[in-house]
Amino acid sequence: MCIRDSTYPGHTACLAAGVAVQRIIAAEGLLERVRTRGPQWRAELGARFAGLPEVGDLRGRGFFVGLELVRDPATKEPFDPALKLHERIRAEALDRGLICYPMGGNVDGVRGDVVILAPPYNATEDDLGEIAEKLEAAVRAALAQVR
């Protein structure tokens, strides 16, 4: 059997797992929870980061959230890419036990720093609070390195 025979869509085990996940999401009302709790969580994150002018934008849908960091809050000018701020935040977050998705080059392919969070649909209130707390600490620590 060649590799592609077991990795492309249509693999029986993958399809069964996908169906099982969809059944759990429906049975536990997770999609509706994310739809209602997501905007509240983003508002809580916004309040948490309101004191950091380098947070240029906080956007997303459901629990999927992107935090954009800017050098100048008035003009939204990004940080120098050589600073690799998004990578610094990733390292600080990992040190605190948080996995996030750092991304660079979102402005023009070179400049721009974004950190993405994507908690699972079944994240508890405590989980969301812990994620927010750890991300804030990581962002503050990384910003202190580049200021």
Side-chain angles (χ1 to χ4, degrees):
M1 168 170 46
C2 72
I3 292 175
R4 73 176 203 188
D5 290 337
S6 63
T7 58
Y8 279 90
H11 190 275
T12 307
C14 293
L15 292 171
V19 169
V21 167
Q22 293 300 314
R23 286 185 178 145
I24 291 168
I25 288 171
E28 296 183 12
L30 296 178
L31 186 57
E32 186 55 35
R33 179 174 181 277
V34 170
R35 283 183 178 145
T36 58
R37 184 64 180 98
Q40 297 166 351
W41 189 54
R42 283 192 311 283
E44 291 165 12
L45 287 169
R48 180 178 287 271
F49 287 106
L52 284 176
E54 295 90 349
V55 175
D57 195 15
L58 177 71
R59 56 187 175 268
R61 184 173 180 185
F63 288 171
F64 191 80
V65 175
L67 188 75
E68 182 176 12
L69 295 126
V70 296
R71 184 183 58 77
D72 185 333
T75 65
K76 304 293 187 199
E77 177 68 26
F79 282 91
D80 180 344
L83 295 172
K84 298 186 182 208
L85 179 58
H86 60 284
E87 287 294 331
R88 291 173 189 262
I89 294 170
R90 180 200 56 81
E92 291 290 341
L94 278 176
D95 286 349
R96 291 163 173 78
L98 176 65
I99 296 173
C100 58
Y101 303 95
M103 301 189 59
N106 63 300
V107 172
D108 58 9
V110 177
R111 300 176 310 136
D113 297 283
V114 172
V115 176
I116 297 172
L117 298 173
Y121 282 16
N122 63 349
T124 66
E125 295 302 313
D126 288 344
D127 294 336
L128 295 174
E130 181 179 353
I131 290 166
E133 181 180 317
K134 289 180 177 183
L135 181 65
E136 180 184 11
V139 168
R140 287 183 183 278
L143 286 171
Q145 296 169 19
V146 301
R147 284 185 180 141

